[in-house]
Amino acid sequence: MALYAIISEDVEDSLEKRMSARPAHINRLQALQDAGLLVLAGPHPAVDSDNPGEAGFTGSLVVAEFNDLEAAQQWADSDPYNKAGVYAKVTVKPFKKVFPQ
């Protein structure tokens, strides 16, 4: 097992698509957390606010443990946000945690 970062960039005006796919997206993240594999996950607000309202979000970041890069890529490809057209681009790459120790 190793850590991987899944860095996603939203399409323009993705908020409605995000909201419709959010329950399924959150369920998958919860499953990773329940398995002890999730390090962190969350969206990038489009404005400097925890609650950006209608401004929405510009993307997401997930850092989690997977068996290998292929497994991480498959997980990312199956994300409900990806399937709903929320993401314009998704990058999956190895991640090395240095801090906190």
Side-chain angles (χ1 to χ4, degrees):
M1 296 288 272
L3 290 176
Y4 295 89
I6 301 170
I7 306 149
S8 306
E9 298 175 32
D10 283 20
V11 297
E12 292 290 322
D13 300 317
S14 63
L15 189 57
E16 186 175 318
K17 291 177 183 178
R18 270 184 171 268
M19 292 299 101
S20 66
R22 188 172 191 275
H25 173 77
I26 294 298
N27 285 341
R28 291 183 82 235
L29 290 170
Q30 186 64 56
L32 275 181
Q33 180 174 306
D34 292 348
L37 302 174
L38 184 64
V39 175
L40 63 89
H44 301 286
V47 295
D48 190 10
S49 171
D50 283 346
N51 185 2
E54 292 297 314
F57 301 91
T58 62
S60 301
L61 172 64
V62 175
V63 177
E65 280 188 87
F66 294 95
N67 286 331
D68 53 32
L69 181 59
E70 182 179 339
Q73 184 68 58
Q74 288 174 351
W75 189 91
D77 290 345
S78 298
D79 190 311
Y81 279 176
N82 203 18
K83 290 182 173 187
V86 172
Y87 295 145
K89 179 181 177 185
V90 178
T91 303
V92 181
K93 53 187 171 180
F95 180 80
K96 180 181 177 184
K97 181 181 173 189
V98 177
F99 287 99
Q101 295 180 344

